[in-house]
Amino acid sequence: MTEGPAGISHPDASTSGVTTSERPTSGVSTSGIASCAIAVMAKASAAGRTKTRLCPPLSPHEAAAFNTAFVQDIVGNIFAAGALSRITPYVAYGPAGAGHFFDALLPPGVGRIEAALPGFGACLRATMGHLFALGHPAAAVLNSDSPTLPPALLAELADALARPGERAVLGPSTDGGYYVLGLKTPRWRLFEDIDWSTERVCQQTLDRASEIGLDVHLLPPWYDVDDAAALRLLHGEVIQAVPFGTSGLQRGAARHTERLMRRLLATQDLAERLGLPTERPGDIPQRRAS
């Protein structure tokens, strides 16, 4: 395990292979473990090993840069949601020994969990188990592919899990997966018999919930940025101010993602590679003052 400064390890037999390191500073919630824990499932950026489904149209180095920007922006969305509900942010990361990358990247107040296990389902389950072992009354795992996800959806998740009664909260992705899953108690059947990385993941998760009689609160769908078409959607949101979906919710700020995309549009042939009309830098709309 790699820990940050003054890291505190919380080993637990039920979450073998998962360890936690936390900076001793205040986070989103001032209520400690009385809050909903939301952990971003993330990989340390490395050219040729992260966001490879974006290559092409991106180069491996560009894809790694977007991976870094996405993690920063998604953590920012959790902080923004923390202004609306009681939430504590974490990043559950791999590969093993990559803690130094996230120590340098993340702001104070974000717990860091090394979650390097064989299989994505095992990583999700172990991360959830570890968050519950820390004492949180609710826990969620969040993707690292949706930098513009509205913070209000994460607040809705936390609020739904804070209400009396047993339930899961699921945010479907437009590709058939899900962008977030939240629980009030460990429900490991939700991670079994799932065809991970396919368009069947969300429906199979709903099927598992039905099998065990667990109610599911569904959030509005959002999209993962994992191919050229999704990059064009992202360009529409952060550059052209074209809203995604019909929820009417304010999107996540995605400042790091926007800054990177603007730089690549201005200095590289990104518009051509995405099949977008060629724009001179002066033609690209700038962020509105907020």
Side-chain angles (χ1 to χ4, degrees):
M1 180 182 71
T2 303
E3 294 186 350
I8 303 171
S9 177
H10 303 273
D12 182 82
S14 66
T15 56
S16 177
V18 180
T19 53
T20 301
S21 175
E22 297 176 306
R23 292 187 176 107
T25 53
S26 61
V28 170
S29 173
T30 59
S31 56
I33 60 173
S35 59
C36 175
I38 300 181
V40 183
M41 307 301 297
K43 291 182 180 179
S45 298
R49 290 192 297 174
T50 45
K51 296 291 183 279
T52 55
R53 293 177 63 183
L54 297 177
C55 305
L58 300 181
S59 73
H61 287 282
E62 290 169 344
F66 271 107
N67 181 72
T68 300
F70 287 2
V71 172
Q72 291 174 298
D73 287 333
I74 292 165
V75 168
N77 292 341
I78 300 177
F79 272 91
L84 305 172
S85 190
R86 299 166 74 180
I87 294 170
T88 299
Y90 292 83
V91 167
Y93 66 83
H100 61 283
F101 174 85
F102 293 95
D103 288 346
L105 182 69
L106 299 175
V110 181
R112 299 174 306 289
I113 302 171
E114 184 176 285
L117 295 168
F120 187 55
C123 289
L124 293 176
R125 172 174 170 160
T127 298
M128 282 285 219
H130 198 72
L131 295 173
F132 283 122
L134 292 176
H136 289 283
V141 284
L142 175 66
N143 76 4
S144 58
D145 302 310
S146 303
T148 62
L149 184 72
L153 294 182
L154 299 178
E156 180 180 341
L157 174 143
D159 290 344
L161 293 175
R163 293 197 297 267
E166 189 66 19
R167 69 182 57 82
V169 178
L170 189 67
S173 296
T174 56
D175 63 1
Y178 57 77
Y179 59 83
V180 71
L181 172 64
L183 296 171
K184 300 183 70 171
T185 56
R187 295 287 187 148
W188 304 139
R189 181 58 180 147
L190 300 184
F191 303 97
E192 297 172 350
D193 298 325
I194 303 293
D195 299 325
W196 300 107
S197 301
T198 72
E199 73 282 358
R200 298 182 292 278
V201 169
C202 185
Q203 185 56 56
Q204 288 176 338
T205 303
L206 290 170
D207 292 343
R208 300 294 88 78
S210 179
E211 288 175 10
I212 60 176
L214 181 64
D215 289 339
V216 179
H217 177 102
L218 282 175
L219 299 173
W222 207 256
Y223 69 102
D224 297 347
V225 182
D226 56 10
D227 58 21
L231 276 170
R232 288 190 287 271
L233 278 177
L234 181 65
H235 174 274
E237 276 206 286
V238 303
I239 303 299
Q240 300 293 344
V242 178
F244 173 79
T246 59
S247 67
L249 297 174
Q250 182 176 355
R251 68 168 175 85
R255 291 184 177 87
H256 296 89
T257 299
E258 179 184 342
R259 188 179 305 120
L260 174 60
M261 183 166 282
R262 287 187 183 278
R263 178 170 63 80
L264 293 177
L265 288 169
T267 64
Q268 305 295 325
D269 61 343
L270 181 60
E272 180 179 348
R273 282 181 276 152
L274 291 179
L276 300 170
T278 303
E279 298 167 315
R280 298 186 303 274
D283 295 333
I284 300 174
Q286 298 301 306
R287 171 185 289 275
R288 300 173 185 170
S290 58

